[in-house]
């Protein structure tokens, strides 16, 4: 039988005695996050087909009634559509609204306590998995992480400490996204949908609703929010108010345990929602109205 | 002063008070001695905080009355005496009952976090043999909480901690203690401690038995060393078998199922599905004392109503999975992970397991001093407190109460000495030679083999139920084992060599085993944890008599001494009918 | 039926010792061990001690995952030897058992973990707000967090796996997950009087060096959610005190508690 050799340098890339598939998870994360980043960047650069409210935003089959194809749908990666809301303010702006929007949820996810684990392992590979050696990946070298390890104490990792502010913005975005979801059901009249009724349920309405629910679960299962709710308290029973906060904390803690799950499902669903609207707007796929 | 020759040859440390053993009792003693401003050394065989105290699950008994306000030290005293079948050192039982609540409050002040009542006080649960709900607890890891609290307190008390050192010999000068000698487990090198007072807190003797809940450290070091140094021991026949240790599967064999499982409503049944405790103790049923439960289980198994692997069934699953997981989290997880047994779904197979030694070194109740001036003992290694049987929860409180008292006693003694006692060169030389012997034999006995044979012997012939013929056979075989032990050879170097460690420890285990067997043979009655099938029931003479053990050269002398009589007021308490 | 047999590759070696002239050494030795039902790896180590290598050094005490002594690495994963069931391991290849790699080797499976005890001793002890505990009113809800942390058995597997200690060797500046848990248990204790624990956590224990790689949580045999329940909440408390400009303003105008 083969001899087991003593590892001389436990820091060498991949140095480990683990014989399970430790590389599977970081690879999947690398693939999954990478795919989303590439897709979102492409979608942002593409700069159109992210909404279906106006006839000129969508491709309509020849000879069809355009009014039957408009939808009160807006892709979450372009919401709020600031140039449309404030045309005068943004008259100079000629690119996709995604570039104005994405940095905020992007920052929320980039400083998220789950994603930190995910990309430190998958993208920076120091280490890629537990008890596996790892030298800095090209990406971490690019960011200058080759000298003495300083964790999250110095620029740029210093900003990880400000995760809560990205949460505040993300929570604000939830209001806007909830408005978008509401529009998906109750915003059909003013965009001039064919039958003139204001309420419809399209497949897209449900997709957008799913998006806001999943993003809500992800946003409000945040560790910083958990801290603000009551995690910062040392005594829960000391007043009625702190007791109420404790109850909320306990419920939120349940969500928080599933933060990773929500992070992934919401990410995938955001991508899917954009793709769905994009395909419909491009006329490749047809949104069905259920009732 | 000229250096003694041992001082140039070996690592030496000098303290006022030296504590051997860093479980609950040793730590508590060291904290107390140190708080009085003396220089204290604390020696442990393992790393700090790993001692067997961590295994205590059920709780620590103290009559705080948080749940049952009627509880008080008097009831606790009476319960302890009844549990000990009136063979306790009454003064120890009295001090223990009076002081344990204060020791708990002190722990809380030092940062222990007990489970709470709805009124924000320390929660207390019922336990076998206790009249009231009395056991302060933290889920099922109370021992861990206590040792960690004491450890954290201790490391800030200026105590010098010597980890992974085994002490092998106590040293004396003119009949009083002068220090001890041992070796570093890591390097195998000898180390000598000079001290005015030495406190033994080395625990029990469980490793002499085959099915035991005790860890490797339980090798009777304190009992053996004190005996060899000339201290008197008492009542070594009283070895408690925990009624419910796992008998199956192998990965958890010997693992204790805490009484808390029964306290929380666990049911004991035999293969016919009968709750057999109703035949022996219909009132208390599963909450009866340990010896009654252990014997009842033994009876079921012997009469063919046992479980497939020679135990009985213990079932808590009827309380619902959520309740079980909250109240017995450690137990639940441990069994699931170690052995794939889900206690929320079905019964466990349990049977008697060697657990605790009631007997031990004779001590003075108030100071914990042994019969050797300057030598103190507390915790399991000391005898008397628990009489013929110990109530669950009383050992943790014992550690705290008498740990503190030993610390105080040692301080008082040390302060009374005018000068540091001296260690004799010749004693050191002899001890060092003895330690090296196993390396010097080229071909000899394997220590592991002797240990295995000893465990088999003790389990089968000096176990839970005893009989004259078997005890005599056991004593014969013990002589053979002692002979074999003199011829042990070990291989390898002195650095962290477990074979050598075992070879050294076997001596003490053999001495303690002989004590148990000899005392068991002498006590011709059945009382508490000691059961003689050829002498059933109590005997009046033995009810007032302690067994004594002394060394006379190579010979072990077993004797009797009359139990200290209680003062009338305590007697009235002890014999008062239970409400 | 013939019993199954497992092949073990166990690290045998020791640190150099000038006094006795022992040189540093280390290699894997192969041992065969018959497998029994319900067996754990520690049982196998004991079998090897009893049959083949009486001088095989391994720490263990309770054999019930309650003391945290038998920490080692099994097939490269930090584990308690007493908690690793044999039936959960693939037996068709050698089972590799090695000592913790983050701490200096003593001999075979035993390492020198004394650094951890130094870190522990440096943490200021619990200091009660009220000496008379009879006056305490502390409810179960207030201690659930601290109780989780106090389940820690100090096996130091989290310290072993933490890349800040293991790979970057920042023992100079980082106390490690075990002591983040300990600091959290003190800071969240409703009766602890000290208000400098957060500062200690940042400046002495170096919590900023943790970057939430979460390996500590993965290896904890007590299932303490080290990262989610101890480190992250402590990081947030550090943010409150040291990084959050809004909190600073609020404290300045008296709308938030001064620590």
């Amino acid at each position: 039988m083969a001899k087991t050799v003593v590892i001389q340098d436990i820091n060498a890339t991949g140095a480990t005695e683990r014989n399970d598939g430790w590389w599977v998870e970081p690879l999947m994360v690398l693939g999954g996050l990478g795919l989303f980043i590439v897709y979102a960047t492409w979608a942002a650069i593409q700069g159109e087909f992210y909404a279906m409210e106006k006839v000129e935003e969508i491709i309509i089959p020849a000879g069809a009634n355009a009014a039957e194809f408009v939808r009160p749908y807006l892709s979450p990666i372009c919401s709020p559509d600031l140039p449309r809301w404030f045309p005068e303010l943004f008259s100079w702006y000629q690119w996709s609204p995604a570039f104005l929007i994405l940095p905020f949820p992007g920052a929320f996810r980039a400083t998220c306590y789950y994603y930190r684990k995910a990309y430190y392992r998958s993208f920076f590979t120091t280490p890629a998995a537990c008890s596996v050696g790892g030298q800095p990946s090209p990406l971490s070298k690019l960011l200058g992480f080759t000298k003495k390890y300083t964790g999250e104490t110095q620029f740029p990792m210093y900003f990880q400490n400000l995760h809560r502010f990205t949460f505040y913005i993300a929570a604000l975005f939830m209001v806007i996204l909830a408005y978008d979801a509401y529009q998906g059901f109750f915003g059909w009249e003013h965009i001039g949908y064919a039958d003139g009724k204001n309420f419809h349920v399209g497949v897209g309405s449900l997709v957008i609703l799913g998006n806001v629910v999943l993003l809500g679960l992800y946003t409000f299962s945040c560790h910083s929010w958990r801290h603000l709710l009551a995690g910062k308290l040392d005594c829960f029973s000391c007043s009625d108010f702190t007791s109420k906060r404790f109850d909320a904390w306990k419920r939120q803690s349940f969500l928080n345990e599933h933060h990773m799950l929500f992070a992934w499902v919401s990410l995938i669903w955001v991508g899917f929602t954009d793709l769905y609207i994009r395909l419909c707007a491009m006329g490749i796929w047809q949104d069905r109205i259920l009732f | 002063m000229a250096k003694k020759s041992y001082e140039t040859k070996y690592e030496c440390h000098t303290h006022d008070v030296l504590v051997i053993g860093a479980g609950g009792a040793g730590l508590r003693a060291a904290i107390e001695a140190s708080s009085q401003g003396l220089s204290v050394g604390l020696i442990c065989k393992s790393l700090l905080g790993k001692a067997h105290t961590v295994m205590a699950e059920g709780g620590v008994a103290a009559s705080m009355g948080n749940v049952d306000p009627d509880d008080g030290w008097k009831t606790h005293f009476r319960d302890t005496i009844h549990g000990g079948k009136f063979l306790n050192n009454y003064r120890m039982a009295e001090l223990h009952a009076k002081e344990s609540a204060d020791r708990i409050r002190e722990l809380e002040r030092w940062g222990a976090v007990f489970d709470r009542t709805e009124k924000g006080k320390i929660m207390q649960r019922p336990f076998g043999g206790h009249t009231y709900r009395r056991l302060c607890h933290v889920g099922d890891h109370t021992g861990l909480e206590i040792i960690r609290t004491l450890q954290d307190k201790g490391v800030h008390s200026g105590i010098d901690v010597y980890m992974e050192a085994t002490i092998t010999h106590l040293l004396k000068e003119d009949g009083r203690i002068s220090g001890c000698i041992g070796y570093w487990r890591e390097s195998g090198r000898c180390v000598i401690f000079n001290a005015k007072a030495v406190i033994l807190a080395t625990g029990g003797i469980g490793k002499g038995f085959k099915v035991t809940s005790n860890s490797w450290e339980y090798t009777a070091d304190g009992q053996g060393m004190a005996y060899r140094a000339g201290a008197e021991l008492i009542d070594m026949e009283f070895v408690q078998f925990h009624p419910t240790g796992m008998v199956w599967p192998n990965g958890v064999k010997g693992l204790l199922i805490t009484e808390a499982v029964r306290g929380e409503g666990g049911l004991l049944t035999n293969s016919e599905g009968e709750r057999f405790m109703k035949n022996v103790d219909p009132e208390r049923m599963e909450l009866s004392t340990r010896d009654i439960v252990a014997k009842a289980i033994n009876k079921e198994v012997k009469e063919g109503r046992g479980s497939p692997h020679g135990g009985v069934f213990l079932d808590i699953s009827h309380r619902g999975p959520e309740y079980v997981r909250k109240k017995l989290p450690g137990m639940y997880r441990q069994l699931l992970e170690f052995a794939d047994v889900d206690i929320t779904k079905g019964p466990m197979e349990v049977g008697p397991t060697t657990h605790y030694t009631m007997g031990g070194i004779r001590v003075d109740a108030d100071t914990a001093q042994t019969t050797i001036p300057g030598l103190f003992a507390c915790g399991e290694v000391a005898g008397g407190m628990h009489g013929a049987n110990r109530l669950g929860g009383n050992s943790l409180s014992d550690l705290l109460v008498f740990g503190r008292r030993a610390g105080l006693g040692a301080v008082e003694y040390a302060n009374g000495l005018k000068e540091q006692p001296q260690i004799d060169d010749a004693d050191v030389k002899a001890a060092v030679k003895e330690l090296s012997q196993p390396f010097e034999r080229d071909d000899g006995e394997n220590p592991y083999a002797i240990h295995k044979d000893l465990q088999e012997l003790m389990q089968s012939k000096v176990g839970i139920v005893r009989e004259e013929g078997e005890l005599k056979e056991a004593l014969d075989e013990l002589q053979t084992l002692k002979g074999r032990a003199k011829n042990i050879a070990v291989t390898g170097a002195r650095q962290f060599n477990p074979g050598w460690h075992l070879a050294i420890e076997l001596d003490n285990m053999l001495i303690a085993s002989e004590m148990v067997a000899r005392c068991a043979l002498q006590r011709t009655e059945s009382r508490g944890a000691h059961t003689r099938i050829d002498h059933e029931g109590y005997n009046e003479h033995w009810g007032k008599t302690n067994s004594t053990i002394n060394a006379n050269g190579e010979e072990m002398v077993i004797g009797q001494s009359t139990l200290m009589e209680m003062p009338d007021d305590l007697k009235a308490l002890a014999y008062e009918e239970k409400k | 039926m013939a019993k199954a047999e497992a092949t073990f590759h166990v690290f045998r070696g020791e640190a150099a010792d000038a006094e006795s002239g022992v040189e540093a050494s280390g290699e894997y030795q192969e041992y065969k061990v018959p497998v029994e039902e319900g067996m754990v790896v520690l049982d196998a180590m004991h079998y090897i001690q009893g049959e083949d290598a009486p001088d095989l050094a391994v720490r263990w005490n309770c054999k019930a995952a309650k003391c945290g002594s038998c920490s080692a690495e099994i097939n490269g994963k930090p584990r308690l030897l007493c908690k690793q069931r044999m039936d959960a391991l693939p037996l068709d290849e050698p089972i590799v058992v090695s000592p913790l790699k983050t701490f200096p080797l003593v001999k075979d499976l035993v390492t020198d973990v004394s650094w951890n005890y130094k870190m522990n001793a440096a943490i200021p002890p619990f200091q009660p707000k009220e000496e008379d505990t009879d006056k305490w009113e502390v409810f179960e809800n207030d201690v659930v967090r601290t109780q989780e942390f106090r389940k820690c058995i100090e096996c130091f597997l989290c310290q072993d796996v933490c890349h800040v200690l293991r790979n970057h060797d920042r023992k100079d500046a980082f106390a490690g997950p075990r002591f983040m848990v300990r600091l959290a248990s003190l800071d969240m204790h409703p009766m602890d009087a000290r208000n400098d624990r957060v500062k200690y956590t940042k400046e002495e224990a170096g919590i900023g060096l943790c970057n939430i790689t979460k390996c500590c949580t993965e290896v904890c045999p007590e299932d303490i959610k080290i990262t989610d329940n101890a480190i992250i909440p402590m990081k947030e408390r550090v943010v409150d005190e040291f990084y959050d400009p809004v909190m600073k303003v609020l404290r300045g105008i008296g709308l938030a508690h001064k620590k």
Side-chain angles (χ1 to χ4, degrees):
Chain A
M1 208 172 277
K3 234 179 123 113
T4 301
V5 182
V6 176
I7 296 172
Q8 295 302 328
D9 177 12
I10 58 168
N11 292 335
T13 299
T16 186
E17 282 156 357
R18 283 179 68 170
N19 55 5
D20 55 347
W22 57 265
W23 62 86
V24 174
E25 195 185 305
L27 263 184
M28 280 170 60
V29 171
L30 184 73
L33 281 183
L35 199 69
F36 182 85
I37 292 168
V38 168
Y39 174 80
T41 312
W42 170 79
I45 292 171
Q46 203 220 16
E48 45 183 5
F49 302 119
Y50 56 82
M52 303 177 67
E53 293 177 10
K54 294 177 190 160
V55 175
E56 58 269 28
E57 287 174 339
I58 52 180
I59 295 172
I60 299 153
N65 176 9
E68 279 179 12
F69 286 84
V70 291
R71 295 283 188 276
Y73 300 164
L74 172 63
S75 163
I77 69 166
C78 294
S79 176
D81 189 348
L82 293 172
R84 183 178 322 202
W85 288 9
F86 309 104
E88 278 142 42
L89 220 64
F90 286 89
S91 57
W92 52 275
Y93 187 81
Q94 44 188 307
W95 304 278
S96 162
F99 289 116
L100 294 173
I101 306 312
L102 281 178
F104 296 100
F108 182 49
R109 287 185 189 250
T111 58
C112 163
Y113 285 105
Y114 162 67
Y115 281 107
R116 270 140 87 169
K117 163 197 162 181
Y119 63 79
Y120 285 143
R121 290 191 186 188
S122 298
F123 287 75
F124 295 175
T125 68
T126 53
C130 304
S131 65
V132 174
Q135 290 297 314
S137 68
L139 178 66
S140 44
K141 279 183 188 155
L142 199 71
L143 288 165
F145 301 145
T146 49
K147 299 184 198 87
K148 197 172 186 184
Y149 175 80
T150 55
E152 300 181 336
T153 58
Q154 276 162 38
F155 180 84
M157 289 301 154
Y158 179 92
F159 288 108
Q160 304 284 36
N161 291 303
L162 300 178
H163 180 51
R164 61 180 60 172
F165 293 98
T166 67
F167 164 75
Y168 302 149
I169 296 168
L172 205 67
F173 269 61
M174 287 314 301
V175 177
I176 295 159
L177 290 169
Y179 172 78
D180 288 346
Y182 174 83
Q183 288 296 312
F185 293 92
F186 297 98
W188 295 68
E189 193 181 352
H190 80 268
I191 60 161
Y193 182 67
D195 65 3
K197 287 183 190 160
N198 195 34
F199 174 74
H200 280 291
V201 179
V203 172
S205 319
L206 296 175
V207 170
I208 294 171
L209 179 68
N211 179 60
V212 72
V213 168
L214 292 173
L215 274 178
L217 285 171
Y218 169 63
T219 306
F220 292 104
S221 60
C222 165
H223 290 84
S224 287
W225 176 228
R226 186 170 181 233
H227 172 75
L228 294 166
L229 263 180
K232 64 197 298 177
L233 300 173
D234 290 342
C235 178
F236 294 136
S237 317
C238 288
S239 75
D240 282 349
F241 182 52
T242 53
S243 295
K244 292 221 168 61
R245 285 173 72 180
F246 172 73
D247 292 338
W249 176 84
K250 229 164 114 181
R251 277 190 284 271
Q252 199 269 350
S253 294
F254 174 77
L255 292 181
N256 178 259
E257 278 176 36
H258 301 92
H259 199 46
M260 174 177 104
L261 177 74
F262 297 142
W264 278 105
V265 179
S266 66
L267 188 79
I268 292 165
W269 202 262
V270 166
F272 173 69
T273 308
D274 179 80
L275 183 68
Y276 183 86
I277 292 168
R278 195 168 296 279
L279 290 178
C280 292
M282 292 169 82
I284 298 170
W285 185 260
Q286 197 170 343
D287 181 53
R288 271 188 61 193
I289 291 176
L290 302 171
F291 48 84
Chain B
M1 197 164 55
K3 271 198 163 184
K4 295 212 167 194
S5 81
Y6 75 81
E7 287 174 296
T8 55
K9 247 173 153 172
Y10 305 106
E11 180 183 341
C12 297
H13 299 275
T14 302
H15 289 284
D16 296 320
V17 176
L18 199 64
V19 184
I20 305 173
L27 270 163
R28 187 63 191 80
I31 289 168
E32 195 62 30
S34 174
S35 75
Q36 309 289 322
L38 269 63
S39 142
V40 177
L42 176 63
I43 306 168
C44 45
K45 280 213 282 189
S46 297
L47 297 171
L48 188 61
K50 308 296 182 195
H52 208 61
T53 306
V54 296
M55 297 291 285
E57 296 169 336
V60 43
S63 54
M64 306 185 84
N66 288 350
V67 183
D68 291 319
D70 289 342
D71 200 9
W73 77 265
K74 292 176 178 172
T75 331
H76 194 180
F77 172 76
R78 190 190 58 202
D79 288 345
T80 303
I81 295 284
H82 278 254
K85 307 299 175 228
F86 296 86
L87 208 61
N88 314 59
N89 175 324
Y90 78 85
R91 179 66 180 156
M92 289 178 91
E94 180 192 359
L95 290 171
H96 168 260
K98 280 180 175 165
E99 292 177 5
S100 51
D102 276 343
R103 298 286 80 75
I104 302 295
R105 292 190 191 100
E106 182 177 78
L107 280 183
E108 203 179 17
R109 200 155 58 234
W110 293 346
V113 183
F114 291 97
D115 285 357
R116 317 300 302 182
T117 67
E118 279 177 12
K119 287 178 182 159
K121 301 295 171 195
I122 293 176
M123 183 71 176
Q124 300 188 277
R125 65 157 61 117
F127 227 67
H130 291 281
T131 305
Y132 295 107
R133 284 172 285 182
R134 189 177 284 150
L135 267 69
C136 309
H137 60 274
V138 189
D140 53 7
H141 49 268
T142 316
L144 174 68
E145 185 69 19
I146 288 182
I147 204 155
R148 197 65 78 231
T149 305
L150 293 174
Q151 178 187 344
D152 290 336
K153 175 75 183 168
V155 298
H156 293 104
S157 302
I159 300 166
D160 288 315
V161 181
Y162 303 96
M163 295 200 281
E164 301 197 299
T166 302
I167 298 301
T168 55
H169 297 78
L170 296 174
L171 302 172
K172 293 197 297 183
E173 182 202 32
D174 303 333
R176 64 176 184 189
I177 216 78
S178 63
C180 58
I181 182 168
Y183 60 88
W184 292 110
R185 300 176 63 77
E186 198 176 287
S187 65
R189 278 196 276 275
C190 285
V191 54
I192 295 164
F193 296 90
N194 177 217
K196 291 177 181 159
V198 172
I199 300 174
L200 288 173
T202 54
I205 65 165
K207 265 317 195 196
F209 292 81
K210 188 179 164 202
V211 184
T212 176
S213 60
N214 295 170
S215 81
W216 67 265
E217 291 194 290
Y218 266 46
T219 51
D221 293 6
Q223 287 87 346
M225 282 192 287
Y227 167 81
R228 285 184 276 127
E232 180 168 89
L233 285 87
I234 58 168
D235 293 344
M236 286 296 286
E237 65 273 36
F238 295 109
V239 175
Q240 186 176 54
F241 289 79
H242 194 289
T244 54
M246 289 296 281
V247 297
W248 177 262
N250 281 334
V252 287
K253 197 170 183 175
L255 181 76
L256 284 196
I257 303 305
T258 161
E259 246 139 345
V261 172
R262 283 177 284 136
E264 298 292 352
L267 304 177
L268 282 168
T269 53
N270 60 22
S271 61
E272 290 159 11
E274 181 196 18
R275 278 179 74 186
F276 54 86
M277 285 308 294
K278 73 177 194 291
N279 304 326
V280 285
D281 192 348
E283 200 182 318
R284 290 180 294 186
M285 296 294 280
E286 279 83 0
L287 291 180
S288 185
T289 50
R290 287 183 166 175
D291 54 322
I292 293 178
V293 176
K295 279 171 210 162
I297 294 174
N298 205 47
K299 186 161 176 264
E300 293 304 306
V301 175
K302 282 218 164 136
E303 289 172 11
R305 293 187 298 275
S307 67
H309 301 98
V312 293
F313 297 106
L314 174 61
D315 195 356
I316 184 76
S317 59
H318 59 279
R319 297 303 302 260
E322 202 161 302
Y323 186 83
V324 172
R325 279 196 289 263
K326 159 77 189 147
K327 278 297 183 182
L328 306 158
M331 195 92 273
Y332 165 74
R333 217 188 39 241
Q334 218 172 1
L335 287 169
L336 196 63
E337 286 179 8
F338 284 61
D340 209 15
V341 175
D342 188 343
I343 61 170
T344 66
K345 295 217 175 94
M348 300 158 255
E349 281 188 52
V350 297
T353 302
T354 315
H355 182 48
Y356 190 86
T357 319
M358 271 72 70
I361 306 168
R362 185 191 282 279
V363 290
D364 171 64
D366 292 74
T367 62
Q369 185 158 225
T370 67
T371 53
I372 298 176
L375 183 65
F376 297 77
C378 56
E380 191 173 348
V381 74
M385 160 68 207
H386 303 289
N389 202 7
R390 178 181 67 90
L391 293 185
N394 268 2
S395 65
L396 287 181
S397 39
D398 170 14
L399 305 180
L400 299 170
V401 169
F402 294 103
R404 173 177 161 276
R405 283 191 164 271
L408 285 173
V411 166
E412 199 185 341
Y413 171 86
N415 284 340
L417 287 193
K418 290 198 184 74
E419 53 191 24
Q420 195 81 10
Q422 295 300 304
I423 290 174
D424 189 343
D425 256 330
D427 291 346
V428 172
K429 219 177 253 172
V432 171
K433 186 167 174 245
E434 210 180 308
L435 290 179
S436 311
Q437 270 168 356
F439 285 110
E440 283 153 13
R441 299 188 194 99
D442 286 336
D443 195 25
E445 291 274 350
N446 176 344
Y448 291 94
I450 300 180
H451 188 206
K452 205 175 155 206
D453 292 347
L454 173 68
Q455 291 182 318
E456 297 275 0
L457 172 68
M458 292 302 285
Q459 193 79 27
S460 61
K461 294 188 176 158
V462 199
I464 183 162
V465 177
R466 296 151 177 177
E467 186 260 321
E468 183 175 339
E470 283 187 350
L471 288 169
K472 283 184 171 160
E473 282 170 35
L475 280 166
D476 285 344
E477 287 174 45
L478 275 171
Q479 294 311 316
T480 316
L481 288 176
K482 273 163 87 177
R484 284 171 62 192
K486 287 204 164 59
N487 193 29
I488 287 178
V490 294
T491 54
R494 281 179 87 123
Q495 278 87 344
F496 219 113
N497 186 335
W500 178 50
H501 299 166
L502 180 60
I504 307 275
E505 287 159 346
L506 257 177
D507 263 353
N508 295 326
M509 275 190 271
L510 284 163
I511 290 173
S513 300
E514 190 178 339
M515 290 178 188
V516 177
R518 284 195 188 280
C519 291
L521 183 62
Q522 178 183 237
R523 186 174 286 273
T524 48
E525 66 159 353
S526 295
R527 179 181 298 271
H530 170 67
T531 303
R532 286 281 298 264
I533 46 172
D534 46 355
H535 293 281
E536 283 183 24
Y538 295 157
N539 169 297
E540 203 182 327
H541 162 72
W542 283 111
K544 291 179 190 148
T545 307
N546 293 113
S547 317
T548 61
I549 306 112
N550 284 285
N552 180 14
E554 285 288 295
E555 192 197 356
M556 185 179 286
V557 183
I558 303 298
Q560 304 177 14
S561 74
T562 306
L563 186 68
M564 271 198 307
E565 201 169 337
M566 276 185 231
D568 289 342
D569 55 331
L570 290 181
K571 216 180 248 173
L573 274 182
Y575 287 92
E576 181 185 325
E577 278 306 304
K578 287 205 179 191
K579 274 168 223 157
Chain C
M1 193 188 90
K3 271 186 182 167
E5 197 180 53
T7 304
F8 278 90
H9 285 185
V10 181
F11 182 86
R12 301 298 310 270
E14 52 202 309
D17 184 85
E19 202 174 313
S20 59
V22 172
E23 282 174 35
S25 62
E27 59 174 354
Y28 285 91
Q29 288 278 332
E30 187 167 301
Y31 301 99
K32 304 270 186 194
V33 176
V35 180
E36 287 174 29
E37 200 175 337
M39 192 178 189
V40 293
V41 173
L42 183 60
D43 291 324
M45 295 302 108
H46 286 160
Y47 178 88
I48 293 169
Q49 280 183 336
E51 301 293 324
D52 301 317
D55 61 341
L56 171 66
V58 50
R59 275 198 191 102
W60 71 284
N61 277 37
C62 73
K63 200 176 173 286
K66 280 179 168 279
C67 75
S69 298
C70 60
S71 308
E73 296 184 10
I74 301 168
N75 285 346
K77 281 186 181 167
R79 300 275 316 194
L80 294 178
L81 293 172
C82 72
K83 214 181 156 184
Q84 176 65 60
R85 279 160 60 190
M86 295 286 290
D87 57 10
L89 292 169
L91 295 184
D92 49 350
E93 46 194 316
I95 298 165
V96 180
V97 185
S98 56
L100 303 181
K101 295 188 179 63
T102 302
F103 300 108
L105 178 70
V106 172
K107 187 184 168 211
D108 302 340
L109 302 178
V110 175
T111 47
D112 174 9
V113 293
S114 57
W115 175 78
N116 294 291
Y117 287 89
K118 280 186 205 122
M119 289 294 109
N120 187 45
I123 295 173
F126 175 74
Q127 190 182 314
K129 283 179 183 165
E130 164 64 57
E131 286 283 331
D132 181 0
T133 58
D134 284 343
K135 291 191 186 143
W136 289 21
E137 270 194 12
V138 176
F139 297 89
E140 195 62 41
N141 286 345
D142 298 320
V143 294
V144 282
R145 290 176 299 179
T146 295
Q147 283 190 331
E148 180 192 3
F149 306 144
R150 292 184 67 90
K151 283 192 308 185
C152 171
I153 56 174
E154 297 203 325
C155 61
F156 305 129
L157 290 178
C158 57
Q159 306 287 78
D160 178 53
V161 82
C162 174
H163 69 112
V164 183
L165 303 174
R166 185 187 181 96
N167 301 110
H168 304 293
D169 199 22
R170 291 302 308 268
K171 296 191 186 89
D172 60 318
F174 186 58
R178 158 60 189 135
F179 299 106
M180 297 300 148
V181 167
R182 171 140 171 73
L183 284 162
S185 83
L186 288 164
D187 198 47
M188 293 177 193
H189 195 304
M191 294 306 289
D192 182 51
R194 294 189 77 103
N195 55 15
D196 58 354
R197 304 235 180 248
V198 171
K199 190 168 180 232
Y200 186 95
T201 306
K202 175 178 181 282
E203 290 174 2
E204 307 297 325
I207 196 171
L209 287 176
C210 166
N211 69 358
I212 323 285
T213 302
K214 283 196 173 171
C215 286
C216 50
T217 307
E218 279 182 30
V219 301
C220 180
E222 282 291 301
D223 294 330
I224 300 170
K225 302 269 184 294
I226 301 176
T227 324
D228 286 318
N229 287 350
I231 297 184
I232 294 174
M234 286 311 284
K235 271 188 175 258
E236 287 292 323
R237 286 173 181 226
V238 168
V239 173
D240 272 351
E241 247 179 86
F242 293 95
Y243 294 99
D244 185 337
V246 178
M247 287 296 294
K248 263 181 202 165
V249 172
L250 288 178
R251 270 197 302 272
I253 59 175
L255 284 174
H257 288 295
K258 279 195 180 120
K259 271 271 179 177

